[in-house]
Amino acid sequence: MDRDEDLPLDPDVDDTRTPRPRPAHLHPGALGLVFVGGTLGTLARYLLSLVIPAWGGMPVPTFVINVTGAFLLGWLLRALSHHGPDHGARRSLRLALGTGFLGGYTTYSAFAVDVDGLIASADIGAALLYGLATVVVGAAASFAGIALGFALPRRRRGEA
């Protein structure tokens, strides 16, 4: 009997006897899903920003986009986790729709630029209101999406 087999494995050294699966971010197919989803999400954000007008100097398009994105992400992630572990089709949907589409759709950078623009125009009250409303309403929308995800019927074993 080899004495090395009796020793615990060192977590800092790769165990060549049991290969670990590659993380999703190292699979070209997963990267492709995120890329395509992100491209479509960015396009959707751009098109919505053309359709939704600003109101009273407030950047309503960015607000609507971020709040709806928070809601959809909460719903999507809860709905996917409600139906089983994160692998196979559920992982592909999470990467394409969650990380990709909704990652491209929502926009923290435009939110930051909008707040900065309101501050630069000396409208500190509007900047604070917009910033706080985006965070609070976005968090509430995310929780509402999660709650809706809980309301979905759970798939039974053996169902397709």
Side-chain angles (χ1 to χ4, degrees):
M1 179 175 207
D2 188 3
R3 290 184 48 87
D4 288 341
E5 291 179 13
D6 297 334
L7 297 174
L9 294 176
D10 183 350
D12 296 328
V13 178
D14 288 334
D15 179 16
T16 58
R17 292 175 287 177
T18 53
R20 295 181 185 167
R22 288 175 39 195
H25 69 275
L26 295 179
H27 289 277
L31 292 173
L33 290 171
V34 173
F35 176 79
V36 170
T39 300
L40 295 173
T42 303
L43 177 63
R45 172 174 31 105
Y46 172 72
L47 293 174
L48 266 175
S49 71
L50 295 177
V51 174
I52 302 171
W55 180 68
M58 295 296 280
V60 175
T62 305
F63 178 81
V64 169
I65 287 164
N66 284 336
V67 169
T68 57
F71 173 82
L72 291 170
L73 187 60
W75 171 81
L76 175 70
L77 295 180
R78 180 57 201 144
L80 290 174
S81 69
H82 191 64
H83 289 287
D86 183 42
H87 58 77
R90 280 182 294 279
R91 176 175 287 170
S92 295
L93 282 170
R94 178 182 57 81
L95 290 171
L97 298 177
T99 305
F101 185 87
L102 292 171
Y105 176 74
T106 58
T107 172
Y108 181 79
S109 59
F111 165 68
V113 168
D114 291 343
V115 170
D116 181 61
L118 290 168
I119 292 170
S121 68
D123 201 346
I124 305 298
L128 289 172
L129 175 66
Y130 173 68
L132 189 62
T134 298
V135 171
V136 170
V137 176
S142 179
F143 285 121
I146 292 168
L148 180 63
F150 271 112
L152 295 173
R154 185 179 288 270
R155 188 176 69 162
R156 293 187 190 111
R157 287 184 183 216
E159 288 182 14

